[in-house]
Amino acid sequence: MSREPNGGEAPTAPESARQGAPSATADSFRGWLGIYLTGLCMGAADMVPGVSGGTIALVTGIYERLVTAIAALDPRVIAEFPAARTAAGRRRLRETFVGMDVPFLLVLGAGIGTAVLVLSRLLEAAFEEYLVLLSAFFFALMAASAAIIYRDVTLETPAQYAAGAVGIVIAFALSGAAESSGGGSLPFVALSGMIAISAMVLPGISGAAFLYVLGQYEYLVGSLNDFVDALAGLLVGGDVAAAVGPGTVVVAFMVGAVVGLLTMARVVKWALSRYRIATLAFLVGLMVGALRLPVEEAAAETTRVTPGLVAAIVAAGAIGAGAIVALDRYTGSLDYA
């Protein structure tokens, strides 16, 4: 058993949450590959407003292990790093990481990161060339997600209705402000990362949807692609300065995401355990209020309405709503209440 920096026992994931965990042997490759592929699916889902990576984790059977591993993360382990200069120190540090299920999180995170890097390029091109259709697709995703979650949430008290109304008002106002901002300050980017990562671990709640609500979605996708391009340019003699701007944005988001995992994810979990219906009503309200943004973006981009455009918008919306309905049916109607 490894030790925490304060001398206590290091946090260990419950056995039930670690059943089926791959061992660090050669024959565990298929297990780790399965976790990586699950991460790919989660990352793809997290890139789309309205679809939750947490739902994918639930469908694939790793949700409990994921939540347990996140809750077990303890920043005090940093104090053990100096002891890694010795063989015994490295062994204790390795045991601590295994106890917190860090290898699982790293492999899963690698899959999520791969999907994000690939899809960010496609989405940036879609924003430039097919903004109207993408807005219709996102509108349908978010509307269908809100409808499905609301279907399973019964509002009974004025406070619960008020929570939903507050969510609608906040998202509606933020969507209007975000429409013209095109980005945000670094503290706001970090705050967006905290909010998004907290939502991403919840089945049915989309972290990307809240980035969209905050007006950071397209901005962050573009910043990530610019940063990757700048890093690639360094290999052929490019300018380091080109990577500083977008890299700062990416780092700010990642810092916010890490802080969110260690703090806000626990706050959300507490809120759901104490005020589950009101919390879900608030989250659904945010999605409903955010529908303002794709509508206004599509309207601003449309100069002439034609039957072909209308048909394409309807088709994009049908695909988005159909994807959510199919996922909900496949998961057997997740119990949000």
Side-chain angles (χ1 to χ4, degrees), residues 68-281:
T68 301
I70 291 174
L73 291 175
D74 188 347
R76 291 177 297 176
V77 72
I78 296 175
E80 289 193 18
F81 285 0
R85 289 173 299 191
T86 66
R90 288 191 294 273
R91 184 176 63 254
R92 287 195 301 271
L93 187 61
R94 182 170 60 251
E95 291 173 353
T96 300
F97 282 153
V98 171
M100 292 190 295
D101 219 359
V102 170
F104 163 76
L105 291 176
L106 289 177
V107 175
L108 189 71
I112 293 173
T114 301
V116 168
L117 289 175
V118 172
L119 287 180
S120 64
R121 190 73 57 182
L122 298 176
L123 285 167
E124 186 176 32
F127 271 115
E128 294 177 358
E129 301 294 333
Y130 307 103
L131 179 58
V132 174
L133 299 184
L134 194 63
S135 296
F137 179 69
F138 285 174
F139 179 95
L141 282 172
M142 294 167 65
S145 296
I148 286 174
I149 297 174
Y150 180 75
R151 177 199 64 195
D152 293 335
V153 176
T154 302
L155 303 182
E156 298 176 343
T157 68
Q160 293 169 355
Y161 281 101
V166 169
I168 292 175
V169 171
I170 290 176
F172 190 86
L174 286 176
S175 296
E179 183 184 4
S180 59
S181 67
S185 64
L186 292 181
F188 190 67
V189 169
L191 177 63
S192 300
M194 293 174 64
I195 295 172
I197 202 68
S198 300
M200 283 177 181
V201 300
L202 300 174
I205 307 297
S206 169
F210 292 120
L211 290 179
Y212 199 62
V213 170
L214 297 169
Q216 300 301 295
Y217 184 79
E218 186 176 354
Y219 173 64
L220 288 170
V221 167
S223 296
L224 176 61
N225 288 333
D226 291 344
F227 182 54
V228 173
D229 290 341
L231 291 180
L234 292 178
L235 300 178
V236 292
D239 188 3
V240 175
V244 173
T248 303
V249 174
V250 172
V251 170
F253 179 83
M254 295 301 297
V255 169
V258 171
V259 174
L261 277 178
L262 298 175
T263 58
M264 287 192 67
R266 290 176 169 83
V267 173
V268 172
K269 184 177 180 180
W270 173 86
L272 284 171
S273 65
R274 295 289 299 273
Y275 309 104
R276 187 172 189 81
I277 300 301
T279 302
L280 288 172

Side-chain angles (χ1 to χ4, degrees), residues 56-77:
I56 303 300
L58 195 63
V59 170
T60 55
I62 68 165
Y63 181 73
E64 183 179 353
R65 182 179 180 184
L66 173 62
V67 173
T68 301
I70 291 174
L73 291 175
D74 188 347
R76 291 177 297 176
V77 72

Side-chain angles (χ1 to χ4, degrees), residues 303-328:
T303 56
R304 187 166 64 94
V305 178
T306 64
L309 177 61
V310 172
I313 290 174
V314 171
I319 293 172
I324 295 297
V325 171
L327 182 60
D328 177 68

